[in-house]
Amino acid sequence: SNLFLRNASSGSSTLIRTPAVFGALNYEFTDKINLSLEGRYQEDEKDQGRTVTGASVKKTFTNFMPRAILQYEPNRSTNLYLTYAQGNRPGGFNTAVFALSEDEKQQLADQVGGSEYVDEEELENFEFGWKQRLLNDRLSFDLAAYYMKWKNQQTRVQAMLYNPAHPNSDPATGLRTVELNVAAGMTDLWGIELTADALVGDYGKVGMTFNWAASEFQDFFCVFPQRFTGGTDCAGNSTARYPEFSGSAYASYRRPVSDEWTGFIRGEVMYFGEAFTDESNLAWTPDYTTTALRLGTETDTFRVEVWVKNLFDSYFYV
């Protein structure tokens, strides 16, 4: 596949070409136990043209991503599975580094391991799942527990370069600060996801979701807390802008009101837990709850409804 991206503010453009090969093998041990093995080899060819100095900003990032799924279905209502998978996020460029001298590039490599290129991010995922239907399919739930290892996490870092001849260097010290992206972070993530639905009578339905998502930086450099704590090591902190706990609950009622029209009403309550504002974990947004309501009627051709997303005017940060 080919993708062309253009940055409207800078005028720069990037051509991305991604040839890939995919293969899969499926083996049934018994009529209840099945193993699927999959693999994808991918090349991300990124071409950002040339810098103002004429340097070519082009590189091919290669990756092989396997996936294995072991399923056990003891009956038509139960599905248990174990999954192992790898994923990636293609690498990129530090375009400003192309214009540096060889000595300055070596300083970057010695200080933060940075260069003109940013390596790919990699994600390893282990998951156990249980899908179940009960009471003649009137009740169902999906439960999944996972553990992920996020490697080569891309993060923004700072380095001090010594070059007294550079116009932006401090006249007294010959130093200047530069920022660049490096793939040096590593994060562990784990959690539980639950979804359940149940039919109530002939026309009603209720359901809920629950998410527990925990995380911890094993190795992460972040510049946010430096002005407050004097340090840039965020190891031990949690990822930002996503809560550890979240969930929802809904109830709906749907029934025919004539030969052609069906009426419906649905109410839903959504909970979004406390979340850190950035990787420093020095500030956070409080948890909040919102309520949504829909009321309407429809046919096979037409649908008319009224709805409100925040029924009780809850205040929250976005």
Side-chain angles (χ1 to χ4, degrees), residues 98-113:
F98 284 86
L100 300 181
S101 67
E102 291 304 317
D103 177 67
E104 290 173 327
K105 292 178 182 179
Q106 187 61 51
Q107 292 182 56
L108 285 181
D110 294 339
Q111 290 183 43
V112 296

Side-chain angles (χ1 to χ4, degrees), residues 116-293:
E116 300 98 322
Y117 307 103
V118 186
D119 291 338
E120 288 190 315
E121 293 186 337
E122 298 178 352
L123 185 70
E124 281 190 296
N125 179 39
F126 304 84
E127 181 176 327
F128 165 75
W130 178 12
K131 299 177 181 289
Q132 184 70 52
R133 292 178 293 177
L134 302 164
L135 304 177
N136 293 322
D137 297 342
R138 295 184 63 86
L139 173 65
S140 65
F141 68 82
D142 292 349
L143 177 65
Y146 63 86
Y147 170 76
M148 300 181 185
K149 177 74 78 171
W150 189 357
K151 303 176 182 178
N152 292 338
Q153 190 173 359
Q154 296 174 9
T155 178
R156 194 75 171 167
V157 300
Q158 290 182 334
M160 299 294 293
L161 298 184
Y162 177 76
N163 184 355
H166 196 279
N168 294 334
S169 295
D170 187 310
T173 63
L175 297 173
R176 75 182 191 277
T177 302
V178 297
E179 290 190 356
L180 69 159
N181 293 318
V182 296
M186 185 167 65
T187 303
D188 290 343
L189 307 100
W190 61 94
I192 295 174
E193 298 178 351
L194 172 65
T195 301
D197 300 283
L199 298 177
V200 180
D202 294 329
Y203 306 108
K205 189 175 184 180
V206 295
M208 56 82 68
T209 66
F210 170 78
N211 295 289
W212 172 53
S215 61
E216 182 179 355
F217 294 136
Q218 300 301 313
D219 185 12
F220 198 84
F221 181 101
C222 53
V223 298
F224 308 109
Q226 189 171 20
R227 69 178 66 180
F228 305 106
T229 66
T232 57
D233 185 6
C234 289
N237 290 356
S238 300
T239 56
R241 295 172 292 279
Y242 196 83
E244 182 175 357
F245 296 101
S246 62
S248 66
Y250 77 88
S252 65
Y253 186 79
R254 182 185 185 89
R255 67 173 299 169
V257 294
S258 71
D259 291 339
E260 296 184 355
W261 291 88
T262 298
F264 62 88
I265 183 172
R266 176 187 170 100
E268 185 172 10
V269 178
M270 290 153 285
Y271 173 76
F272 193 91
E274 182 181 281
F276 291 111
T277 58
D278 57 53
E279 288 78 1
S280 68
N281 289 185
L282 295 176
W284 58 89
T285 57
D287 62 342
Y288 63 88
T289 302
T290 61
T291 303
L293 183 65

